[in-house]
């Protein structure tokens, strides 16, 4: 096969990578989508492991990198998982660096909530801030905001799921078919159509081309034969005799002529240039009215014969250079002569263009040359570069039109007087500079006083820099709108002149050792957002803060303030207040009731024990989180708490989390006045009963009361409920009739060993998750009540017991493909016990992770999944767990004729003391569980699986 000078075409291992939250979508939407993608010949990667822990394995990162398209299913619990958020960040990084296509799917969540970080997305990030660095959470926040801006699919608009699935598959197919592949410009289009058609219709198409010697596959990359390349070039040559009107150029003379004389047209889409024969090449400034375009290729950009490329841009307005340190540090200068000419000093390059943008991200240079100051330059991005000096020591030249200067993470940048102090005349000329970023510049300790002369500056960002103080002249930045000083570890104060910034709308001080704010801060009449997260040296706020009437957001998360000033009540426009993890905050001001606009009050894990009586006047309050550490609450003997009488006046309250608040006695009788309540978490409290008015909460969907160890009875509940958790309520004896809970999907009464019955459970037609481990007293009665109706949709069930249905296979199962009957589900039953020696803290783990289901092909393991065994008993008695995997679960989808299914204990175990006593497997085929009528007169072999399960439990109870 002849050698070729055409660029290599990466052969990705997967077309599509699916990113999703398993607990939300693995067993339903994702499984459907995965199946349809595979059926349409689209190679799709799905991570079938439980997403536990925080770290993404390198192998999974490679799977993301090797995929052409990532489909991100954003669901309700997606932001709860740091694993998912790290996955998302990686995907968006691949979008930026590799041109990967990203398709968001907003599954039962609002795109606005994602982009604006509202509701569950906001709450998830707030919780992550407690455990992870602000910088990392900031990355996740930006990732969510970014993906919400992308064009995608909304399950609330495209219904039902079957239609949504098909629309997404069609979208993916279209994108794959028209996706350009990086290669020789002369033959890209035809090669693209050929491969995509073969790719989607017949996966061995590439092999056929290789067999015909038209391509060669080397290290998972495709190389084109010279004949193919030449054919493509002949096609392009026929487009027009004038090179300016051809779509692709590869001859040095043509490219230089166009660039030198500013003659690029909208026809020119790509350049491919072999620079090695050229010993010296200097280009001239580009005309910004040119329309030279580069297509979005997976590997991006202008191609060089050796495979090196410069970062692509859709419409060239100057040149973007991405010097990735590891890759280019030792690269010969000659390889970049298309854009650069070598300066007099070794390692010093001169960008020879008057571009509107100059982006030298990761540039390894130490200096910009003394004569480099293109007057049209608007954006100078030297972020993460090795730059030491921006301009020479004696030059008076400066980019007069410069609007943005980004020196983020320029770790070698010397002290700012060297940058500005020796250029007093030049800096005055930066009158158009609007944005200056010195984030991460560890050598900058002070800024010059002439900083105040940057009269157009709107944004000044010094995050994670070594700045020790701000000059008083910062108060002269009359147009400054945003000042960001996050994690400036040497900055202990901000100057009083900050109060002069009349247009400032946002002040970020997160993670800085500032001990107080000056009284002059009251002069910031326009400020709307004040962020002081984890300012651990902050002890108090000035009274003057009450004068900033435009404030809508204050975040004091993790500060050591002891109280809020009484002037706080004057903040009439405050909408969002975060006081979480302010562990020394012991009281709220009486004036807090005057915050008429306050919608979100997040004050979890504070030292506040009493709410002021005025609290009920917060007429706009919608979200209130004030939970505390459960273990801390249970071990303390402090005086119990009673909610103020005015609390029931919070008629707009939608979410209330007051777990471990030490609420004792009786809950307010007029609880039903909280008519907007949808989420109620009162777990780990000390009350003994709930008011009957609870039933009046007609919008309540989730009721969490775990570890309310003095609660004795559960009153009638509202029919709107979808989830009820009363696990570990050891004193609970009575549960009112639940037959009205037609929408209930989850009922958890684990370790409620005094409960004698659950009347009405047989009517719960929507029930999916029933956890009753160690419910000894009611076990027999509930087993008698379990019916075909309530077992029809069951996914997970746990209950005391020692037996498994005898019609389950009690050994490994060989799957048989029945031609006329599709597989609909696989049910796994296990009997598990815990050793008395198991550590007490492990008994409160969310699940038992040590029982696995494996799939084998000719005794070779090809798939493994962990049984979701929730409801861990605080005893050593045997418990039955049933787990049903529906036909759209990846585990069931991958079954093929002859595959073996086995159940095993993990070796080595994650929790010592878990014993697998028995297991059974039952395959559910089409028509096995589809009959909805009366079956009592039918023989057992003709009965539905749901009825047989009900009969098993009923007969079990009669023994």
């Amino acid at each position: 096969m002849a050698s070729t000078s055409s660029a290599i075409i990466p052969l990705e291992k997967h077309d599509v990578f699916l990113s999703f939250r398993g607990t939300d979508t693995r067993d339903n939407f994702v499984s459907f989508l995965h199946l349809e993608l595979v059926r349409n010949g689209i190679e799709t990667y799905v991570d079938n492991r439980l997403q536990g822990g925080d770290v993404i394995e390198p192998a999974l990162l490679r799977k993301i990198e090797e995929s052409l398209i990532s489909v991100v299913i954003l669901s309700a619990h997606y932001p709860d998982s740091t694993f998912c958020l790290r996955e998302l960040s990686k995907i968006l990084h691949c979008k930026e660096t590799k041109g990967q296509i990203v398709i968001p799917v907003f599954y039962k969540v609002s795109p606005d909530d994602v982009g604006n970080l509202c509701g569950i997305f906001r709450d998830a990030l707030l919780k992550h801030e407690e455990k992870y660095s602000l910088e990392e959470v900031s990355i996740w926040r930006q990732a969510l905001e970014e993906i919400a801006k992308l064009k995608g699919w909304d399950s609330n608009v495209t219904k039902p799921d079957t239609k949504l699935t098909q629309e997404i598959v069609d979208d993916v197919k279209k994108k794959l078919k028209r996706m350009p592949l990086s290669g020789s410009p002369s033959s890209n289009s035809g090669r693209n159509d050929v491969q995509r058609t073969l790719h989607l219709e017949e996966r061995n198409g590439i092999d056929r081309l290789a067999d015909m010697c038209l391509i060669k596959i080397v290290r998972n990359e495709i190389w084109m034969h010279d004949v193919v390349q030449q054919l493509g070039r002949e096609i392009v040559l026929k487009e027009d005799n004038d090179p300016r009107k051809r779509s692709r150029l590869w001859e040095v003379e043509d490219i230089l002529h166009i660039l030198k004389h500013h003659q690029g047209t909208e026809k020119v889409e790509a350049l491919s240039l072999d620079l090695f024969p050229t010993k010296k090449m200097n280009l001239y400034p580009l005309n910004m009215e040119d329309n030279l375009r580069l297509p979005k290729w997976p590997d991006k950009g202008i191609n060089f014969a050796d495979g090196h490329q410069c970062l692509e841009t859709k419409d060239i307005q100057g040149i973007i250079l991405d010097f990735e340190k590891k890759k280019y540090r030792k690269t010969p200068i000659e390889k970049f002569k298309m854009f650069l000419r070598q300066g007099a000093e070794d390692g010093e390059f001169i960008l020879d263009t008057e571009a509107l943008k100059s982006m030298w991200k990761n540039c390894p240079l130490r200096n910009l040359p003394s004569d480099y100051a293109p007057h049209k330059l608007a954006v100078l991005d030297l972020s993460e570069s090795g730059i030491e000096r921006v301009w020479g020591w004696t030059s008076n030249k400066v980019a007069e039109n410069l609007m943005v200067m980004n020196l983020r993470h320029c770790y070698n940048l010397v002290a700012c007087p060297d940058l500005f102090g020796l250029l007093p005349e030049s800096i005055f000329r930066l009158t158009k500079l609007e944005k200056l970023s010195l984030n991460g510049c560890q050598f900058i300790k002070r800024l010059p006083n002439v900083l105040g002369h940057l009269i157009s500056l709107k944004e000044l960002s010094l995050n994670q820099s070594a700045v020790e103080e701000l000059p008083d002249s910062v108060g002269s930045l009359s147009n400054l709108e945003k000042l960001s000083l996050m994690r400036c570890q040497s900055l202990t104060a901000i100057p009083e002149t900050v109060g002069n910034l009349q247009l400032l709308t946002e002040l970020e001080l997160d993670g800085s050792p500032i001990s107080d704010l000056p009284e002059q801060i009251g002069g910031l009449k326009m400020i709307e957002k004040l962020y002081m997260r984890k300012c651990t040296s902050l002890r108090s706020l000035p009274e003057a803060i009450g004068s900033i009437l435009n404030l809508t957001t204050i975040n004091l998360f993790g500060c050591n303030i002891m109280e809020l000033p009484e002037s706080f009540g004057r903040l009439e426009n405050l909408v969002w207040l975060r006081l979480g993890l302010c562990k020394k905050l012991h009281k709220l001001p009486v004036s807090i009731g005057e915050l008429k606009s306050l919608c979100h009050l997040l004050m979890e894990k504070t030292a506040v024990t009493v709410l002021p009586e005025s609290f009920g006047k917060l007429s706009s309050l919608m979200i209130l989180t004030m939970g505390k550490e459960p273990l801390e609450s249970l071990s303390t003997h402090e005086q119990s708490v009673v909610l103020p009488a005015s609390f029931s006046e919070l008629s707009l309250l939608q979410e209330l989390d007051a777990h471990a608040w030490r609420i004792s006695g009786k809950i307010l009788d007029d609880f039903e006045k909280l008519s907007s309540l949808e989420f109620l978490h009162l777990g780990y409290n000390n009350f003994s009963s709930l008011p009957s008015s609870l039933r009046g909460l007609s919008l309540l969907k989730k009721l969490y009361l775990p570890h309310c160890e003095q609660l004795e009875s559960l009153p009638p509940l509202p029919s709107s409920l979808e989830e009820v958790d009363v696990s570990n309520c050891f004193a609970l004896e009575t549960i009112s009739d639940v037959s009205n809970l037609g929408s209930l999907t989850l009922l958890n009464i684990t370790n409620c060993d005094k409960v004698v019955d659950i009347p009405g459970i047989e009517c719960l037609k929507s029930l999916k998750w029933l956890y009753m481990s160690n419910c000894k007293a009611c076990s027999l009665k509930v087993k008698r009540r379990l019916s075909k109706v309530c077992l029809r949709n069951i996914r997970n069930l746990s209950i005391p017991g020692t037996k498994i249905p005898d019609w389950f296979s009690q050994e490994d199962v060989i799957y048989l493909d029945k031609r006329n009957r599709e597989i609909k589900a696989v049910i796994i039953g296990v009997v598990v016990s815990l050793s008395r020696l198991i550590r007490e803290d492990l008994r409160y783990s969310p699940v038992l992770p040590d029982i696995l289901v494996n799939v084998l092909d000719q005794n070779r393991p090809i798939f493994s999944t962990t049984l979701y065994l929730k409801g861990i008993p605080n005893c050593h008695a045997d418990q039955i767990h049933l787990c049903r995997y529906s036909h759209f679960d990846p585990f069931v989808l991958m079954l093929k004729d002859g595959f073996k299914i086995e159940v095993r204990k993990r070796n080595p175990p994650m929790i010592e003391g878990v014993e697998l006593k028995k297991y059974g497997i039952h395959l559910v085929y089409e028509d096995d569980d589809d009959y909805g009528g009366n079956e009592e007169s039918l023989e057992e072999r003709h009965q539905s699986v749901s009825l047989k399960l009900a009969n098993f439990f009923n007969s079990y109870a009669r023994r």
Side-chain angles (χ1 to χ4, degrees):
M1 182 171 182
S3 62
T4 177
S5 62
S6 63
I8 53 178
I9 302 173
L11 182 60
E12 276 76 2
K13 293 183 179 179
H14 295 93
D15 294 324
V16 174
F17 180 92
L18 290 182
S19 174
F20 61 95
R21 184 71 161 108
T23 54
D24 287 343
T25 57
R26 182 190 300 276
D27 295 338
N28 41 67
F29 179 70
V30 167
S31 297
F32 279 123
L33 179 58
H34 181 210
L35 178 62
E36 287 305 310
L37 288 167
V38 173
R39 283 178 175 171
N40 281 269
I42 299 171
E43 194 73 24
T44 306
Y45 181 80
V46 173
D47 183 13
N48 285 316
R49 298 165 298 175
L50 287 178
Q51 295 169 336
D54 295 331
V55 180
I56 301 180
E57 296 177 2
L60 185 59
L61 296 177
R62 286 195 297 272
K63 296 295 184 184
I64 297 174
E65 293 171 353
E66 292 167 352
S67 300
L68 294 173
I69 297 176
S70 282
V71 177
V72 182
I73 295 98
L74 295 147
S75 55
H77 292 97
Y78 190 95
D80 295 343
S81 167
T82 56
F83 186 98
C84 288
L85 294 173
R86 289 190 172 102
E87 197 172 78
L88 175 61
S89 300
K90 176 64 177 179
I91 287 170
L92 292 175
H93 176 73
C94 289
K95 173 180 176 291
E96 277 300 309
T97 60
K98 295 173 66 66
Q100 185 179 103
I101 291 177
V102 180
I103 302 174
V105 178
F106 303 95
Y107 189 73
K108 298 184 179 179
V109 296
S110 165
D112 290 337
D113 284 353
V114 178
N116 298 324
L117 302 178
C118 298
I120 52 180
F121 288 85
R122 174 209 61 228
D123 296 343
L125 291 176
L126 293 178
K127 290 180 181 177
H128 293 326
E129 286 178 352
E130 300 176 13
K131 185 177 180 181
Y132 303 96
S133 70
L134 292 175
E135 185 173 15
E136 188 168 23
V137 176
S138 178
I139 292 172
W140 300 336
R141 181 178 287 107
Q142 292 171 14
L144 290 169
E145 290 173 344
E146 181 179 346
I147 197 167
K149 297 175 184 176
L150 302 180
K151 184 178 180 180
W153 297 92
D154 186 347
S155 68
N156 295 318
V157 175
T158 306
K159 300 177 181 179
D161 281 2
T162 51
K163 181 181 178 182
L164 176 62
T165 299
Q166 192 57 53
E167 295 280 358
I168 295 170
V169 172
D170 291 345
D171 187 22
V172 170
K173 289 168 65 177
K174 289 178 183 177
K175 285 180 167 60
L176 285 173
K177 285 182 178 179
R178 66 172 180 256
M179 182 180 290
L181 297 174
S182 57
S184 173
S186 61
S187 56
N188 182 61
S189 296
R191 176 63 183 80
N192 172 52
D193 293 340
V194 171
Q195 185 185 345
R196 286 303 163 215
T197 301
L198 289 171
H199 177 78
L200 293 174
E201 296 179 0
E202 192 170 8
R203 297 295 301 182
N204 63 1
I206 291 176
D207 293 333
R208 289 189 177 185
L209 290 176
D211 291 340
M212 297 168 64
C213 295
L214 294 176
I215 64 171
K216 182 180 180 181
I217 300 175
V218 181
R219 293 187 301 275
N220 202 42
E221 295 172 333
I222 297 176
W223 290 75
M224 273 186 277
H225 194 288
D226 283 346
V227 174
V228 178
Q229 183 188 52
Q230 186 59 36
L231 178 62
R233 289 186 171 184
E234 289 178 5
I235 294 173
V236 174
L237 287 172
K238 292 179 181 179
E239 291 178 350
D240 203 286
N241 290 327
D242 188 346
R244 294 173 300 175
K245 297 181 180 180
R246 296 179 195 151
S247 61
R248 291 156 174 81
L249 301 176
W250 58 88
E251 294 293 344
V252 173
E253 293 78 9
D254 292 341
I255 294 173
L256 289 182
H257 183 81
I258 283 178
L259 294 179
K260 181 176 180 178
H261 297 287
H262 315 147
Q263 294 177 337
T265 72
E266 61 181 11
K267 297 290 186 180
V268 181
E269 297 180 359
L271 307 177
S272 181
L273 189 60
D274 184 350
L275 296 181
F276 286 113
T278 306
K279 294 302 180 183
K280 187 173 183 180
M281 183 188 306
N282 290 327
L283 297 184
Y284 293 81
L286 295 178
N287 187 334
M288 289 308 102
E289 295 179 359
D290 293 346
N291 293 305
L292 180 64
R293 296 180 294 113
L294 294 178
K296 276 187 172 294
W297 294 331
D299 275 336
K300 294 180 176 276
I302 295 179
N303 298 290
F304 297 95
D306 65 342
H308 287 291
Q309 299 172 326
C310 283
L311 191 67
E312 65 88 23
T313 178
K314 186 175 181 182
D315 296 292
I316 290 185
Q317 295 188 340
I319 304 298
I320 295 178
L321 300 178
D322 191 350
F323 294 90
E324 186 179 343
K325 295 180 181 178
K326 292 181 180 179
K327 186 173 182 180
Y328 293 112
R329 180 169 292 175
K330 297 182 180 180
T331 301
I333 292 172
E334 285 78 16
K335 294 183 180 179
F336 301 102
K337 281 185 177 177
M338 179 173 178
F339 304 107
L340 307 169
R341 58 184 173 83
Q342 189 172 9
E345 183 178 343
D346 181 48
E348 180 178 282
F349 293 170
I350 299 173
L351 181 64
D352 199 5
T353 177
E354 299 246 331
L356 289 179
K357 290 187 178 180
S358 173
M359 302 179 72
W360 290 26
K361 186 175 181 179
N362 289 323
C363 175
L365 308 183
R366 295 194 302 273
N367 321 297
L368 290 186
S370 58
D371 61 347
Y372 174 57
H375 89 162
K376 290 185 179 179
L377 189 68
V379 178
L380 179 60
D381 187 347
L382 289 163
S383 57
E384 301 180 39
S385 70
I387 202 78
E388 294 178 0
R389 301 192 299 270
V390 178
W391 280 286
W393 300 103
T394 59
S395 173
N396 287 323
K397 292 186 177 182
V398 75
E400 296 176 354
N401 290 310
L402 194 65
M403 298 176 67
V404 177
M405 183 186 295
N406 188 357
L407 303 176
R408 178 176 61 88
H409 290 174
C410 292
Y411 294 109
N412 295 325
L413 194 64
V414 295
C416 229
D418 294 333
L419 178 63
F420 292 131
L422 297 178
L423 297 172
E425 296 180 6
S426 299
I427 195 170
F428 295 150
R429 293 165 59 189
L430 290 177
T431 55
K432 295 185 178 180
L433 188 66
E434 295 183 359
K435 182 176 180 180
L436 175 59
S437 173
L438 296 170
N439 294 345
C441 296
Q442 294 299 309
F443 288 93
I444 293 184
K445 295 185 178 180
R446 54 195 179 95
L447 299 174
N449 250 329
V450 290
L451 180 72
H453 293 280
L454 303 179
I455 57 174
S456 296
L457 200 63
K458 294 182 178 180
E459 183 173 336
L460 176 59
S461 187
L462 302 170
N463 299 333
Q464 287 186 290
S465 69
V467 168
E468 296 176 350
E469 62 178 357
L470 293 180
D472 287 340
S473 65
V474 73
S476 300
L477 299 174
S478 56
N479 286 299
L480 196 67
E481 296 175 359
K482 182 177 180 179
L483 178 58
S484 190
L485 305 168
M486 296 191 293
R487 298 179 295 282
C488 293
Q489 297 302 320
S490 300
L491 186 66
T492 58
I494 56 176
E496 296 177 355
T497 56
V498 165
N500 298 331
L501 301 176
Q502 295 298 308
L503 297 183
L504 194 70
T505 60
E506 191 168 336
L507 178 58
E508 296 181 337
L509 302 170
D510 298 345
S512 297
I514 292 174
S515 57
D516 55 37
L517 295 175
E519 284 288 339
Q520 288 77 7
I521 198 172
L524 301 177
K525 303 301 182 184
M526 299 298 292
I527 194 168
E528 297 177 359
K529 298 178 180 180
L530 175 60
Y531 297 104
M532 301 190 70
R533 290 170 290 192
K534 296 188 178 181
C535 289
T536 54
S537 298
L538 189 68
R539 297 291 185 268
S540 62
L541 296 177
E543 283 287 337
I545 199 168
S547 302
I548 313 177
L549 301 184
N550 260 26
L551 269 175
T552 62
T553 301
I554 299 179
N555 194 333
L556 298 171
F557 174 82
C559 292
N560 284 324
I561 57 173
M562 301 182 68
E563 60 182 3
L564 298 174
E566 280 298 326
S567 63
F568 220 75
R570 300 205 297 267
L571 301 177
E572 57 188 29
N573 290 305
L574 191 64
V575 174
W576 199 87
L577 174 60
R578 179 145 202 222
L579 303 170
L581 225 63
C582 291
K583 294 188 175 182
K584 295 187 177 180
L585 180 66
H586 62 275
K587 71 173 184 177
L588 299 176
V590 174
S591 64
I592 196 169
E594 302 303 316
L595 301 177
K596 302 300 183 184
S597 299
L598 190 64
C599 294
H600 302 84
L601 176 55
L602 314 175
M603 48 177 286
E604 67 280 7
K605 300 179 184 178
T606 69
V608 175
T609 57
V610 177
L611 298 178
E613 190 58 40
S614 64
F615 199 84
K617 296 181 180 180
L618 296 172
S619 55
S620 298
L621 193 62
M622 299 171 65
I623 310 293
L624 174 59
T625 62
M626 55 182 191
K628 301 182 184 296
E629 287 288 355
L631 296 179
E632 185 178 296
S633 173
L634 292 175
S635 61
T636 185
H637 296 290
E638 292 183 19
Q639 186 175 359
S640 295
V641 174
V642 177
L643 295 176
S646 65
F647 196 86
S648 59
E649 297 174 16
L650 303 175
S651 59
L652 296 183
L653 193 64
Q654 296 176 2
E655 298 181 20
L656 171 59
D657 183 350
H659 74 269
W661 187 254
R662 305 188 190 97
I663 300 173
S664 63
K666 295 180 63 177
I667 302 292
L668 300 171
D669 288 333
D670 52 359
F671 213 68
E672 61 183 342
K673 291 183 179 179
L674 302 176
S675 55
S676 300
L677 209 57
E678 298 179 11
F679 174 93
L680 178 59
H681 190 348
L682 295 176
Y684 297 90
N685 279 301
N686 303 321
F687 49 81
S688 58
S689 64
L690 291 168
S692 58
S693 60
L694 189 68
R695 190 169 190 172
L697 300 178
S698 60
L699 300 179
L700 190 63
K701 295 180 180 179
K702 298 181 180 181
L703 176 61
Y704 296 155
L705 302 168
H707 289 273
C708 290
E709 298 179 5
Q710 296 183 32
L711 181 64
E712 298 175 354
S713 63
L714 202 60
L717 301 174
S719 59
S720 56
L721 275 171
E722 297 175 1
E723 298 181 10
V724 174
D725 184 352
V726 289
S727 59
N728 300 296
C729 292
F730 305 129
L732 188 65
E733 297 181 2
T734 305
I735 296 178
S736 296
D737 192 304
V738 296
S739 60
N740 65 312
L741 306 183
S743 300
L744 194 70
T745 61
L746 180 147
L747 177 60
N748 189 350
I749 63 168
T750 301
N751 291 322
C752 295
D753 56 356
K754 294 184 179 180
V755 171
V756 295
D757 195 6
I758 309 178
I761 193 173
E762 64 274 13
C763 301
L764 301 183
K765 60 182 180 181
S766 301
L767 195 62
K768 294 181 180 179
W769 300 279
L770 175 62
Y771 303 113
M772 294 181 55
S773 292
N774 194 34
C775 292
K776 301 187 291 277
C778 69
S779 173
L780 293 178
K781 286 188 177 181
V782 170
K783 286 174 182 175
R784 293 191 189 105
R785 288 184 178 276
L786 290 178
S787 65
K788 171 184 171 180
V789 170
C790 71
L791 293 174
R792 188 69 175 270
N793 295 306
I794 268 296
R795 301 277 182 82
N796 294 85
L797 182 151
S798 62
I799 198 168
T802 60
K803 298 183 183 299
I804 289 173
D806 54 14
W807 40 274
F808 275 43
S809 174
Q810 310 289 317
E811 55 188 18
D812 300 345
V813 167
I814 303 297
Y815 170 70
L816 297 177
D817 188 5
K818 299 183 179 181
R819 293 184 179 180
N820 299 323
R821 299 176 66 201
E822 291 184 10
I823 184 74
K824 287 295 186 180
V826 176
I827 304 176
I828 308 292
V830 295
V831 175
V832 175
S833 67
L834 296 181
S835 166
R836 292 182 178 181
L837 300 178
I838 193 170
R839 283 184 9 220
E840 188 63 25
D841 60 322
L842 294 178
R843 291 186 180 276
Y844 297 101
S845 301
V847 295
L848 285 176
D850 282 330
I851 310 300
L852 305 177
V853 178
N854 303 318
V855 178
L856 298 88
D857 179 10
Q858 297 180 349
N859 291 322
R860 179 176 59 89
I862 60 172
F863 179 87
S864 181
T865 186
T866 303
L867 285 180
Y868 190 73
L869 306 183
K870 187 173 181 178
I872 301 179
N874 58 0
C875 69
H876 67 280
D878 292 351
Q879 311 292 322
I880 303 172
H881 294 266
L882 291 182
C883 302
R884 180 170 180 148
Y885 295 89
S886 298
H887 67 283
F888 44 74
D889 188 277
F891 159 45
V892 181
L893 280 172
M894 72 174 306
L895 292 177
K896 294 182 179 180
D897 196 61
F899 281 13
K900 181 194 289 186
I901 305 171
E902 66 176 21
V903 179
R904 297 289 186 270
K905 182 179 174 182
R906 189 188 300 275
N907 186 22
M910 295 179 68
I911 297 179
E912 295 289 347
V914 179
E915 185 176 355
L916 176 61
K917 298 285 190 69
K918 297 176 183 178
Y919 73 86
I921 305 170
H922 184 71
L923 305 183
V924 182
Y925 288 92
E926 190 174 7
D927 297 330
D928 284 353
D929 201 26
D930 298 332
Y931 187 67
N934 192 314
E935 311 175 55
E936 295 298 336
S937 61
L938 298 178
E939 295 180 14
E940 183 180 45
R941 62 192 180 93
H942 295 304
Q943 291 177 341
S944 66
V945 171
S946 297
L947 180 59
K948 287 198 289 186
L949 278 175
N951 290 338
F952 161 73
F953 284 115
N954 297 163
S955 62
Y956 193 106
R958 291 193 292 268
R959 291 171 187 156

